[in-house]
Amino acid sequence: MDLSGKVAIITGVSKGIGRATAEALLAKGAIVAGWGRTAPDDFKHPRFHFIKCDIRKEADVQKAYAATTKELGQQVHVLVNNAGIGNFGPIDGFSSDDWHAMFDTNVHGLFYCTRAVLPQMKQQKEGHIINVASLAGTAGSPNLAGYCATKYAVRGFSDSLFKEVRPQGVRVTCIMPGSVETNFNGAEPGQKPDPHKMQPEDIAAAIVHALEAPQSTMISELQMRPTLPK
């Protein structure tokens, strides 16, 4: 897909992978609707439109989609389901609220956003949905059972979805990064890049790569790891 002039929705746009993806798509000439609970700091661009949205709430997603199409036109070409949270800890010490918060964001919110854009993408026979999962969706880890469960769900959803919407010309890619240097789980990125972690810009570049693949090609799944293991 040639991204110039295309409309892209990115969730969780305020920082990390979401913000880096917004910058990468803007650099390619796309028009970006950034959905999030908070606007990114010091981020202004004539083709960037922030729309306040808590994807955990279905009504919020419907309002954000209506606001996006009102402002940018009916056609939406890209959805990057990036918003996600991780609460870690042992299962018998885990609060139900933390468990629900992860599923409400990582799984249910992703479903609401996907369902919002699909009818138009199918009608225009063009669209690309990127679901940001994790390598935690490929193998379980102690004290990450809840987070892994959500990312396994995202991977299964993506695998089913691409088979469902392929005949209508809609592509679906599941991106599964390993360790990325972001504010994820409250951790502050270091002053110097950690050689054992990828940068948000690396994931954004992979998203652009998947989007720009020839129309005859769909990258359905992409696993990413730091080159240097710990």
Side-chain angles (χ1 to χ4, degrees):
M1 183 192 293
D2 178 3
L3 292 168
S4 182
K6 296 292 196 290
V7 174
I9 294 169
I10 302 172
T11 68
V13 77
S14 64
K15 56 191 176 186
I17 293 169
R19 178 169 176 154
T21 302
E23 291 174 353
L25 293 189
L26 289 166
K28 291 286 183 176
I31 301 156
V32 174
W35 293 7
R37 287 181 289 173
T38 54
D41 293 333
D42 305 322
F43 188 55
K44 299 225 181 304
H45 191 285
R47 283 183 276 106
F48 177 74
H49 306 263
F50 176 73
I51 293 170
K52 193 172 175 61
C53 177
D54 183 346
I55 66 161
R56 298 173 298 180
K57 299 172 182 170
E58 190 172 359
D60 251 34
V61 170
Q62 290 167 348
K63 281 182 197 164
Y65 183 71
T68 299
T69 53
K70 185 179 178 185
E71 197 168 338
L72 304 177
Q74 283 302 307
Q75 291 207 332
V76 172
H77 306 93
V78 173
L79 168 65
V80 181
N81 279 313
N82 163 70
I85 58 170
N87 296 317
F88 305 153
I91 283 299
D92 57 355
F94 215 79
S95 82
S96 296
D97 285 347
D98 282 349
W99 179 274
H100 284 285
M102 279 195 295
F103 271 89
D104 286 344
T105 304
N106 302 2
V107 183
H108 304 150
L110 179 140
F111 162 68
Y112 301 146
C113 295
T114 301
R115 191 178 55 181
V117 304
L118 264 181
Q120 178 61 35
M121 285 186 175
K122 285 159 91 169
Q123 186 183 322
Q124 67 201 27
K125 296 200 176 301
E126 182 190 18
H128 201 143
I129 296 167
I130 304 274
N131 294 324
V132 180
S134 167
L135 290 181
T138 67
S141 297
N143 297 315
L144 268 72
Y147 181 69
C148 289
T150 66
K151 294 305 186 178
Y152 265 83
V154 171
R155 192 182 183 193
F157 177 79
S158 298
D159 196 40
S160 300
L161 183 65
F162 98 72
K163 292 165 184 169
E164 184 178 317
V165 299
R166 219 171 157 188
Q168 285 86 33
V170 180
R171 299 193 287 186
V172 178
T173 303
C174 186
I175 304 263
M176 294 180 285
S179 300
V180 183
E181 195 158 32
T182 66
N183 293 81
F184 188 74
N185 201 38
E188 287 291 333
Q191 292 300 307
K192 293 182 181 175
D194 184 339
H196 304 295
K197 288 186 177 181
M198 295 174 288
Q199 300 300 310
E201 293 76 18
D202 301 330
I203 315 305
I207 289 170
V208 170
H209 172 69
L211 291 171
E212 288 188 328
Q215 196 55 40
S216 59
T217 304
M218 175 169 53
I219 299 170
S220 56
E221 217 172 63
L222 192 55
Q223 296 190 14
M224 301 179 68
R225 293 170 172 80
T227 301
L228 294 172
K230 276 191 175 175

